[in-house]
């Protein structure tokens, strides 16, 4: 069975002032082929929005094809001095590793979703404070339709010994989470890693304690 995709993206920015920026971005895809003809429910697996707001919609369809659109970025950012505030659907990228990112707790994604370079966003409020040239603190609250979809966590980044370090902690869904990561080099080769420890906030809440870690290296040729 074959499936074909025509992928289009629309990105808009409005720089209202030196401190205030607005953005909205949409991902548009046309699906057609045997898979859509043979399995009509295929469309329902695509028309899914995991955010608080329903911004996903099939805008046209026919026999063996449909066009789907989703607004995966819609945010406002205000930056002044050492402070930064971002509200709306945004990409919160806390991962530092090349492929697997246990620290990316707000908008996880499948690495094998290779046609989605921008990666998903999350509906959240983010506050940043730059404590130095190479150090900063972030606080993020992700809104959700219920308690299991909400998240609240903070992270601190800094550089030491020619390596970038970060530590994070908070509450994500049914779990508490603590973690950290690093990105540096050894003899000219990149060396990165990160880990997160998830601990159920309540006993018998359907979640299990888990420790997830990944390490990677690369060397330029």
């Amino acid at each position: 069975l074959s499936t074909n995709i025509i992928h289009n993206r629309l990105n808009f920015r409005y720089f209202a002032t030196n401190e205030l920026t607005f953005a909205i971005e949409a991902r548009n895809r046309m699906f057609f082929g045997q898979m859509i003809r043979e399995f009509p429910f295929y469309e329902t697996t695509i028309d899914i929005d995991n955010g608080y707001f329903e911004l996903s919609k099939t805008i046209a369809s026919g026999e063996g094809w449909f066009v789907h659109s989703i607004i995966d970025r819609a945010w406002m950012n205000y930056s002044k001095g050492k402070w930064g505030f971002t509200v709306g659907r945004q990409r919160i990228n806390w991962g530092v590793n090349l492929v697997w990112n246990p620290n990316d707790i707000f908008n996880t994604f499948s690495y094998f979703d290779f046609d989605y370079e921008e990666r998903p966003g999350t509906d959240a409020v983010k506050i940043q404070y730059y404590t130095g040239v190479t150090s900063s603190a972030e606080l993020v609250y992700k809104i959700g339709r219920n308690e299991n979809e909400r998240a609240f966590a903070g992270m601190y980044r800094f550089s030491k010994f020619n390596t970038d370090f970060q530590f994070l902690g908070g509450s994500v869904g049914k779990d508490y989470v603590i973690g950290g990561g690093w990105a540096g080099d050894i003899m000219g080769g990149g060396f990165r890693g990160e880990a997160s420890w998830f601990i159920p906030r309540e006993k018998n809440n359907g979640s299990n304690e888990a420790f997830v870690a990944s390490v990677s290296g690369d060397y330029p040729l």
Side-chain angles (χ1 to χ4, degrees):
L1 295 175
S2 64
T3 304
N4 307 285
I5 304 175
I6 297 177
H7 196 161
N8 162 265
R9 187 169 188 87
L10 300 174
N11 300 333
F12 300 95
R13 293 283 193 281
Y14 174 56
F15 301 95
T17 67
N18 290 333
E19 295 84 17
L20 188 62
T21 304
F22 296 88
I24 185 167
E25 301 179 12
R27 183 190 191 201
N28 311 295
R29 292 175 294 171
M30 179 180 182
F31 295 82
F32 59 97
Q34 294 172 304
M35 182 73 75
I36 288 82
R37 286 194 299 270
E38 298 296 330
F39 301 96
F41 62 85
Y42 185 84
E43 179 183 332
T44 62
T45 67
I46 300 298
D47 189 16
I48 297 175
D49 192 330
N50 294 320
Y52 180 81
F53 300 100
E54 182 61 45
L55 302 179
S56 169
K57 186 175 181 60
T58 298
I59 58 178
S61 62
E63 184 178 354
W65 67 273
F66 67 91
V67 177
H68 178 262
S69 180
I70 181 171
I71 297 176
D72 59 1
R73 300 287 193 278
W75 50 261
M76 175 190 71
N77 173 263
Y78 179 81
S79 298
K80 185 75 171 180
K82 295 183 177 182
W83 290 93
F85 304 88
T86 308
V87 179
R89 182 162 293 186
Q90 57 191 288
R91 175 70 184 166
I92 301 173
N93 184 17
W94 283 6
V96 296
N97 219 340
L98 294 177
V99 178
W100 313 115
N101 302 114
N103 284 179
D104 199 1
I105 58 178
F106 286 101
N107 29 220
T108 57
F109 65 93
S110 171
Y111 176 72
F112 298 103
D113 190 2
F114 55 85
D115 71 328
Y116 196 8
E117 296 180 0
E118 292 77 11
R119 305 308 182 192
T122 190
D123 298 329
V125 177
K126 179 175 68 175
I127 302 174
Q128 293 175 290
Y129 180 73
Y130 296 93
T131 57
V133 177
T134 59
S135 60
S136 64
E138 291 187 23
L139 198 62
V140 176
Y141 174 68
K142 174 187 176 182
I143 60 177
R145 297 187 179 96
N146 54 61
E147 185 178 0
N148 294 332
E149 294 182 359
R150 300 186 191 107
F152 181 73
M155 183 185 66
Y156 180 65
R157 288 190 177 108
F158 65 95
S159 295
K160 197 74 172 178
F161 312 117
N162 295 320
T163 302
D164 297 327
F165 295 96
Q166 64 183 39
F167 295 96
L168 62 91
S171 174
V172 179
K174 298 180 179 180
D175 302 320
Y176 294 116
V177 60
I178 57 175
W182 77 89
D185 74 273
I186 299 177
M187 300 179 64
F191 182 52
R192 304 174 181 84
E194 55 189 274
S196 292
W197 184 16
F198 298 90
I199 307 166
R201 292 192 288 114
E202 299 177 359
K203 293 183 178 180
N204 303 319
N205 67 355
S207 181
N208 296 316
E209 186 173 341
F211 180 79
V212 187
S214 64
V215 177
S216 68
D218 62 271
Y219 194 84
L221 298 178

